[in-house]
Amino acid sequence: MKKKKSFPLPVSILLYIFLFLTLLIFTSVLWAVRTWSSLTMDEILFQITAPLQGTGGGMIASFIWHCAVPSAVIFILLCFFFRRSPAVRLTKSLRILLPVCLLAISIYILDTKMGLFSWIKNIRSDSDFIAENYVEPDNDLITMPEKKRNLVYIYLESMETTYSSKEYGGAFDENVIPELTELALENTSFSGEDGNVNGAYSLLGSTWTMGAMFAQTSGLPLKTSIAADDMQTQTSFFPGIRTLGDILADNGYSQHLLIGSDAAFGARDMYFSQHGNYEIEDYNYAVREKWIAPDYKVWWGFEDAKLFEFAKKELTRLAASDQPFNLTLLTVDTHFEDGYLCQDCPHTFGDNQYANVFACSSKKVAQFVKWIQEQDFYENTTIVISGDHPTMDKDFCKDVPGAYQRRVYTAYINSAVQEENPQKSRIYSTMDAFPTTLAALGAQIEGDRLGLGTNLFSDQPTLLETYGYARLNADLQMRSAFMKEKEAVDLHSESLIAATREKLVNYENTYFTRTGQDQYQFSMWFGDMNDQVKSVSVEYQESPDKEAQAVELKKEGDRFTADLDLKNWTEESVITVSVVDTNDNVHEDLVSGSGNLELMSSHGYLEKLAGLAENYAVLISVRDDASSQAAAARQQLKALGLSEDLSDNYRWSYCAVIDGEQIQEQCAGEDVYLKYTFSNGTAASLYSAGFDSGNKSSIIINGIEYSRNRSGFNIVVYNKDTGLVVDEAHQLPLRAQ
């Protein structure tokens, strides 16, 4: 019997690539749904990018272990099955149908769980909704009382009404936040006659901390034409709007932002200093003022126990002045995953650490409020307590029914006004906090609306009550010329260009694939930054006496490629890559390299290093953090002869020299130096400083700096025979792990 043939080899390779990619997409979608079950596509994209910039956490490691590794294992098993199965027709069908089905299921999950199709439609659509519903907070609409009331505004990280027990409108069988529940019931959360704890919805643009603080003080969603975490590259933060801080500053308030982390993250320091001239009292301030020791750091900076003690001292100092004050606090212990368990935390909920941390936070906040109420200044002070956004913890609310409407905790204490209709249960968002806080301070607001927010003490309907959650969120998601005008972003600022360049370099993967005698296909891939790349060009010079040749790369799928003739390539040859981004900013010499073509391909980079001949040496220096890369590439690093394990040492410093059997390593929680002399007499010096120790990498050989000084591993390969550096790499690309 004639044996049935399988697919031609090129088709078969493409099908295998398609299969692996769809497996990776499928596992990634499942991971995203588990990790951020309550977020929309916009917030998912923000969480994927922003947290990589200093927020803590092993998101990359989590992705590798929960997505890349399972995909690779399943792929290998399927390959084995396809090759061994005697049913050729069945395997041919499966190799086509299986990836198609995986892709279809992934798209279905993204749409049903996160509104993929609506998101695509909305971001491609323009809307005047924000412009038509926005109320400019002009002075002629706002009349502040002659005697100004003080304000204490407490943002509670990830705090929801959900954590209260079902008898009070929460979703848990046992009340995790009993003290906060009592505070809400005894004061104002706009719950009406039902007597339950009520809270605010987090709409699009307000479901992460900076977005939440922006929404509650401006009455607007944080929608920007650049990545939200890139706002710190601008000289101004939404200069076209007037916020709570601006209004209070105009009325003579002394304003202070007290937080236990670095206020620079998310450009919080820029926003609050530019809108209200807040004094920024963050972790770095606490170190400078000697509130804490220079080497003290837990969790994100200092814990909430210290935050509230510092707040008491600040309030005592501020109250001694005749000037009205606004002290705004942001807690941090309850940040996902699982929070920070301080020494005061109870163990009421056994091994459920996050529940114990929330219970601890509830008690600490109540004790702080009680302390304020015992002070002389309390009579003329309004306290606002609000969760910033729903928790992003992947499993804390896993048993909450899908129909339950999760909202952030809200309580107004000692307000200057009462509700016009206290029997009415309000449906409101965090944007309504803007005019409501002013009203609680005794301000008269003509029309009872500011920004997109409504004064909840009035009987004026909120936008949520008028349009409903789905319609309002959809309108907020659409492009808005109004918001673009208000943000006044400079797309060509030097800082934005530098930040974009940093991201491009950190995502960059380079491939040289031999296609014939001295013929190579040069490919580049920029990961999540691909959509921000407009064009890529490569220039290569095979020797100093030859003219450089320039080639434009073509975009093929998710890669940029070009065919190169490199028959005269030597270790002295040089190749450079330049990129034009979608803002028409040019990033010249984004990537450069010389020497060994095989090493210049980042694919399988670690394995190639391990296979180098003895006349090569490898020098490594870490900047920022390399723990997640080290965890994923533990075996490859071990194969190089390295023994230090960085995987559990977040943001540690590390240097290493691998010179044949001679291996030297330096690893510590502080910056480290390593000096080395090669057998040919050439001297090398290495320096590494993790994020908390200076954030720098240096690799100097014969007086010349070769480190790219990028986040993660910086690697230099040196040929001892020729005395030439044949490769420089800025990190361990994910595809090499």
Side-chain angles (χ1 to χ4, degrees):
M1 180 181 292
K2 188 175 181 180
K3 186 177 180 182
K4 292 183 174 66
K5 294 183 178 179
S6 184
F7 295 106
L9 182 60
V11 175
S12 184
I13 292 173
L14 288 175
L15 285 174
Y16 276 121
I17 293 173
F18 184 44
L19 174 61
F20 178 75
L21 290 177
T22 53
L23 280 168
L24 187 60
I25 291 170
F26 180 69
T27 54
S28 299
V29 167
L30 294 180
W31 172 69
V33 170
R34 289 194 305 268
T35 305
W36 301 294
S37 60
S38 63
L39 300 192
T40 62
M41 288 299 301
D42 277 304
E43 281 78 45
I44 289 290
L45 292 175
F46 178 82
Q47 292 306 320
I48 288 173
T49 56
L52 300 180
Q53 315 232 341
T55 64
M59 185 175 294
I60 294 176
S62 177
F63 171 81
I64 291 169
W65 291 115
H66 292 95
C67 304
V69 172
S71 298
V73 171
I74 296 171
F75 176 72
I76 292 170
L77 293 174
L78 286 172
C79 290
F80 181 80
F81 169 75
F82 291 151
R83 291 182 62 85
R84 294 290 183 178
S85 175
V88 178
R89 181 174 295 177
L90 173 63
T91 57
K92 287 180 68 175
S93 300
L94 280 175
R95 287 167 66 183
I96 297 174
L97 292 176
L98 182 58
V100 170
C101 290
L102 287 172
L103 186 59
I105 294 171
S106 300
I107 293 173
Y108 174 78
I109 294 173
L110 282 175
D111 187 52
T112 55
K113 296 290 187 181
M114 299 171 184
L116 174 64
F117 291 147
S118 297
W119 175 75
I120 293 173
K121 176 185 176 182
N122 290 336
I123 63 172
R124 295 171 63 89
S125 303
D126 296 304
S127 172
D128 294 327
F129 179 87
I130 295 177
E132 292 171 353
N133 287 276
Y134 182 77
V135 176
E136 196 79 41
D138 295 327
N139 284 331
D140 56 358
L141 296 181
I142 306 166
T143 304
M144 295 293 288
E146 184 175 346
K147 183 179 181 182
K148 306 298 189 298
R149 293 179 68 82
N150 303 314
L151 172 64
V152 177
Y153 202 117
I154 309 171
Y155 291 97
L156 301 182
E157 172 65 48
S158 303
M159 188 63 72
E160 303 180 35
T161 59
T162 313
Y163 315 145
S164 187
S165 56
K166 294 175 182 177
E167 64 179 307
Y168 298 117
F172 284 25
D173 292 328
E174 188 173 356
N175 197 343
V176 175
I177 52 170
E179 296 85 2
L180 284 174
T181 299
E182 185 177 353
L183 276 177
L185 294 175
E186 291 179 349
N187 294 281
T188 303
S189 64
F190 309 101
S191 57
E193 291 181 321
D194 63 16
N196 288 330
V197 176
N198 196 9
Y201 287 88
S202 283
L203 298 172
L204 183 135
S206 66
T207 57
W208 68 96
T209 299
M210 184 59 239
M213 300 174 90
F214 182 84
Q216 294 185 40
T217 52
S218 71
L220 284 168
L222 183 51
K223 289 170 62 69
T224 64
S225 56
I226 58 177
D229 59 308
D230 280 337
M231 286 302 294
Q232 58 195 352
T233 67
Q234 301 297 296
T235 57
S236 59
F237 197 123
F238 274 81
I241 65 172
R242 192 161 183 251
T243 70
L244 174 68
D246 294 318
I247 295 167
L248 296 184
D250 290 345
N251 281 273
Y253 277 71
S254 171
Q255 305 197 84
H256 304 260
L257 176 67
L258 177 57
I259 62 178
S261 56
D262 186 346
F265 177 71
R268 295 173 296 188
D269 55 348
M270 181 189 300
Y271 175 69
F272 282 98
S273 61
Q274 292 183 1
H275 290 280
N277 196 29
Y278 284 71
E279 177 79 19
I280 307 300
E281 300 173 0
D282 63 351
Y283 167 76
N284 298 315
Y285 179 91
V287 171
R288 288 197 306 271
E289 294 298 312
K290 299 182 180 179
W291 291 359
I292 56 177
D295 59 348
Y296 186 86
K297 191 166 190 178
V298 300
W299 198 226
W300 286 49
F302 59 78
E303 66 274 35
D304 292 345
K306 284 185 170 54
L307 178 81
F308 290 122
E309 289 305 311
F310 297 154
K312 291 176 183 178
K313 294 178 181 178
E314 285 297 274
L315 285 171
T316 301
R317 180 179 66 83
L318 293 170
S321 169
D322 293 332
Q323 187 178 11
F325 62 79
N326 164 21
L327 179 63
T328 297
L329 290 78
L330 169 65
T331 65
V332 71
D333 285 3
T334 48
H335 196 281
F336 82 109
E337 286 272 320
D338 296 332
Y340 175 73
L341 196 69
C342 74
Q343 62 182 6
D344 302 328
C345 285
H347 295 276
T348 309
F349 300 95
D351 59 358
N352 189 337
Q353 176 172 312
Y354 210 21
N356 288 324
V357 173
F358 274 116
C360 185
S361 180
S362 176
K363 183 174 292 187
K364 278 185 168 60
V365 174
Q367 290 172 344
F368 179 60
V369 169
K370 183 179 180 182
W371 178 87
I372 294 176
Q373 292 172 329
E374 293 170 348
Q375 309 307 306
D376 292 339
F377 63 81
Y378 173 67
E379 181 181 357
N380 192 45
T381 299
T382 295
I383 304 172
V384 179
I385 308 176
S386 176
D388 58 353
H389 54 74
T391 182
M392 300 169 195
D393 190 274
K394 64 179 180 291
D395 55 11
F396 188 59
C397 293
K398 64 180 179 181
D399 296 327
V400 174
Y404 181 84
Q405 298 173 322
R406 290 170 58 186
R407 291 151 295 163
V408 300
Y409 178 88
T410 306
Y412 284 77
I413 303 172
N414 201 25
S415 168
V417 295
Q418 301 299 314
E419 299 170 77
E420 285 187 22
N421 188 355
Q423 288 76 40
K424 182 179 180 181
S425 178
R426 304 303 301 269
I427 302 173
Y428 57 98
S429 76
T430 53
M431 292 188 294
D432 294 309
F434 176 29
T436 304
T437 300
L438 283 170
L441 293 174
Q444 297 292 319
I445 303 170
E446 184 178 333
D448 288 308
R449 293 198 61 246
L450 295 174
L452 298 182
T454 299
N455 171 18
L456 296 173
F457 289 102
S458 74
D459 207 21
Q460 181 81 7
T462 67
L463 291 184
L464 263 178
E465 291 168 335
T466 302
Y467 296 104
Y469 183 87
R471 161 75 193 281
L472 185 53
N473 236 12
D475 279 311
L476 293 178
Q477 199 169 55
M478 295 182 188
R479 292 182 304 207
S480 170
F482 173 85
M483 291 296 290
K484 192 168 185 178
E485 176 189 349
K486 293 295 185 183
E487 69 171 352
V489 163
D490 180 5
L491 296 175
H492 306 294
S493 74
E494 291 184 6
S495 297
L496 179 59
I497 293 172
T500 303
R501 180 185 180 90
E502 178 85 9
K503 292 180 183 178
L504 288 169
V505 170
N506 281 337
Y507 274 112
E508 167 262 322
N509 276 253
T510 307
Y511 301 82
F512 276 93
T513 305
R514 187 185 294 274
T515 57
Q517 183 67 33
D518 300 321
Q519 303 293 313
Y520 289 85
Q521 182 186 70
F522 177 71
S523 303
M524 297 199 70
W525 178 81
F526 295 98
D528 290 343
M529 292 293 292
N530 263 0
D531 291 339
Q532 296 186 42
V533 175
K534 185 175 181 180
S535 64
V536 182
S537 60
V538 59
E539 183 179 278
Y540 61 100
Q541 187 172 16
E542 293 181 316
S543 62
D545 60 335
K546 291 194 175 184
E547 289 188 10
Q549 301 181 61
V551 178
E552 188 85 6
L553 275 66
K554 297 178 181 179
K555 189 170 185 181
E556 298 180 356
D558 65 346
R559 297 191 186 179
F560 297 84
T561 66
D563 293 322
L564 305 179
D565 181 355
L566 302 176
K567 59 178 175 292
N568 296 315
W569 190 270
T570 69
E571 287 194 346
E572 293 182 305
S573 302
V574 177
I575 191 166
T576 59
V577 175
S578 297
V579 169
V580 178
D581 64 31
T582 50
N583 295 325
D584 291 325
N585 295 314
V586 180
H587 305 274
E588 294 182 328
D589 299 343
L590 181 77
V591 182
S592 62
S594 61
N596 192 311
L597 279 175
E598 295 300 321
L599 282 179
M600 288 174 62
S601 170
S602 59
H603 184 60
Y605 192 82
L606 286 177
E607 289 84 352
K608 292 170 185 174
L609 289 181
L612 286 175
E614 289 188 2
N615 56 318
Y616 290 95
V618 178
L619 299 86
I620 300 173
S621 168
V622 164
R623 174 193 158 191
D624 190 357
D625 175 59
S627 57
S628 57
Q629 290 101 325
R634 187 179 289 110
Q635 295 304 317
Q636 293 96 319
L637 292 169
K638 187 176 180 181
L640 285 170
L642 302 174
S643 58
E644 294 282 0
D645 186 1
L646 283 176
S647 58
D648 293 325
N649 294 323
Y650 181 56
R651 289 179 172 173
W652 274 39
S653 307
Y654 177 78
C655 290
V657 175
I658 306 163
D659 183 6
E661 295 183 357
Q662 297 293 320
I663 296 175
Q664 293 190 18
E665 296 178 87
Q666 292 284 346
C667 181
E670 56 188 11
D671 56 347
V672 296
Y673 293 88
L674 194 160
K675 292 187 179 295
Y676 188 81
T677 303
F678 296 107
S679 56
N680 61 7
T682 300
S685 62
L686 294 82
Y687 173 73
S688 168
F691 184 87
D692 299 323
S693 307
N695 203 25
K696 185 179 179 181
S697 163
S698 174
I699 302 176
I700 297 176
I701 301 176
N702 204 22
I704 300 174
E705 177 67 74
Y706 289 101
S707 171
R708 292 192 180 179
N709 195 30
R710 302 294 183 185
S711 298
F713 285 97
N714 290 269
I715 302 173
V716 172
V717 180
Y718 174 68
N719 187 325
K720 296 178 291 182
D721 290 345
T722 64
L724 295 173
V725 168
V726 299
D727 194 43
E728 307 157 28
H730 70 274
Q731 65 175 20
L732 297 177
L734 292 181
R735 288 174 179 252
Q737 299 168 351

